[in-house]
Amino acid sequence: MTSASASISSTYRASDGAAYERFLGRRSRVLAGPFAEFARPPDHGRVLDVGCGTGSLALALTEHGAPDRVAAIDIATPYIAFARSRPGAACIGFAVGDACRLPYAGGSFGAALAQLALNFVPDAAQAVREMRRVVRAGGVVAAAVWDFRGGLVFQRLFWDTAAGLDPGAGAARDRLFSGPLALPDGLPVLWRDCGLTGIERGSITIRMEYADFADYWEPLLGGQGPVGAYVEGLPPEQRRLIEGRVRAAFLSGAPDGPRSLTATAWAVRAIVP
């Protein structure tokens, strides 16, 4: 994931690696394996994880046949620090940097992958052109982004409930859900426009398991991403009101306890000509 910076533009609030891990990192770990299988990076050559966040995809790649061949980059220094502290991270080349200005030589990778990052890069096309630049001819460029509008239950539950109480939540939801990369053809169109060939599109669905409402709500208080930034900025009384309504939606008339919510990501894979 990317984060705001005075010198490098981005739209994702990313200030605390541990807070992100509790909020969404534990979910991105579940997505990372299926996405790596969909992307099918070559068996030879280095693999780059662009917008690596706290390292879930990079670690999955080391487990899917690319040990000692993975590099990973993210704009958020706190996320890179957390990623470097994770078990198994010593063999991964984690770096702080901008997806739109990758600090790697052209053709130096066999594949470049981006998981849950490109829709938070202000110039996604430039990021994809950079991914293409650093991958050799015949290599793979692939990405996955959440289907916010139609396939991300935990966020629809929150934003639709909050939007009924606060126009500001509705505006934030609409910006997030109407982004071009969140639409079914968003990634394939971008890949085609960037001159990539052999485009494959798909979707990957995982389940987000919550022990109870507290396990759903409390990670939102960590201030990460659009949801965290919105919740953090609420006056206490309004936050309590929205929490109560979101809790009712989460429970849906049943006792508090475990919930299993689906989450679908759009995915695309293509070859550098």
Side-chain angles (χ1 to χ4, degrees):
M1 290 292 180
T2 52
S3 72
S5 166
S7 60
I8 303 176
S9 181
S10 133
T11 63
Y12 196 90
R13 172 78 70 82
S15 57
D16 185 325
Y20 173 79
E21 190 66 16
R22 190 178 182 204
F23 167 53
L24 193 56
R26 55 182 174 161
R27 316 302 176 192
S28 64
R29 290 202 304 271
V30 180
L31 180 66
F35 174 51
E37 293 173 3
F38 171 87
R40 306 189 308 281
D43 293 332
H44 52 281
R46 299 168 69 209
V47 182
L48 176 63
D49 178 4
V50 177
C52 66
T54 51
S56 294
L57 176 61
L59 288 165
L61 288 167
T62 67
E63 298 166 0
H64 282 73
D68 303 319
R69 295 193 291 117
V70 178
I73 190 167
D74 197 282
I75 202 170
T77 300
Y79 286 10
I80 291 294
F82 186 92
R84 286 171 173 158
S85 74
R86 296 179 65 173
C91 65
I92 299 170
F94 284 108
V96 176
D98 185 359
C100 294
R101 295 186 289 274
L102 294 174
Y104 307 106
S108 55
F109 292 91
L113 281 58
Q115 176 175 280
L116 307 181
L118 287 180
N119 46 330
F120 297 108
V121 177
D123 190 348
Q126 175 60 22
V128 176
R129 287 191 293 267
E130 277 290 277
M131 291 169 71
R132 174 183 169 170
R133 179 185 66 79
V134 302
V135 173
R136 66 170 184 265
V140 172
V141 177
V145 299
W146 288 129
D147 174 10
F148 284 102
R149 184 181 296 181
L152 197 57
V153 174
F154 94 100
Q155 290 226 9
R156 287 233 68 133
L157 188 155
F158 174 84
W159 286 117
D160 288 348
T161 302
L165 301 167
D166 175 17
R173 175 199 60 190
D174 294 350
R175 286 193 299 271
L176 189 62
F177 287 16
S178 64
L181 296 189
L183 305 181
D185 292 329
L187 287 173
V189 167
L190 178 58
W191 257 233
R192 184 189 66 226
D193 291 347
C194 290
L196 294 158
T197 62
I199 295 171
E200 301 175 34
R201 58 179 291 178
S203 64
I204 303 167
T205 298
I206 64 170
R207 302 200 72 91
M208 295 185 171
E209 307 293 340
Y210 295 94
D212 50 27
F213 178 68
D215 191 33
Y216 173 94
W217 179 259
E218 291 176 4
L220 306 185
L221 307 180
Q224 305 305 293
V227 176
Y230 170 76
V231 172
E232 189 174 62
L234 288 171
E237 184 175 348
Q238 190 172 26
R239 183 186 299 178
R240 286 191 294 269
L241 174 61
I242 290 174
E243 178 184 358
R245 298 289 179 83
V246 172
R247 185 177 191 275
F250 179 90
L251 298 182
S252 299
D256 195 6
R259 297 292 189 275
S260 182
L261 307 181
T262 57
T264 297
W266 299 117
V268 68
R269 176 190 191 272
I271 302 300
V272 175

